[in-house]
Amino acid sequence: MRTGIYLTVTAKRNRRSTASDLSRQLSSATGTTVSRQTVYRRLGHIGLYARRPVRCVPLTATHCRL
């Protein structure tokens, strides 16, 4: 299983996991070591952000003005 898919599935199962937690889980499960920043970046590519990896809707300029 590729690391990106593993991170996606793990982050969606454990919504409260931080990037550091996910990095440790990946390391123990697959033996692949990735940094916290890499986990954060990979989750950002699929639309999962912040400490609680929930899907965020990007705000437009109109939303910000309101």
Side-chain angles (χ1 to χ4, degrees), residues 34-53:
V34 293
S35 69
R36 178 187 56 82
Q37 292 88 355
T38 302
V39 172
Y40 184 79
R41 195 177 327 112
R42 287 188 184 173
L43 291 178
H45 285 303
I46 59 168
L48 298 176
Y49 299 99
R51 296 189 65 128
R52 289 180 57 226

Side-chain angles (χ1 to χ4, degrees), residues 2 9 12 19-20 23-24 29 37 39-40 44 46 58 61 64 66:
R2 292 184 352 195
V9 170
K12 287 182 178 178
S20 298
S23 175
R24 281 191 294 273
Q37 292 88 355
V39 172
Y40 184 79
I46 59 168
C64 294
L66 293 175

Side-chain angles (χ1 to χ4, degrees), residues 6-27:
Y6 180 85
L7 286 174
T8 302
V9 170
T10 307
K12 287 182 178 178
R13 281 185 185 159
N14 306 320
R15 292 285 187 169
R16 297 274 182 191
S17 295
T18 62
S20 298
D21 294 338
L22 293 172
S23 175
R24 281 191 294 273
Q25 289 174 9
L26 178 67
S27 178

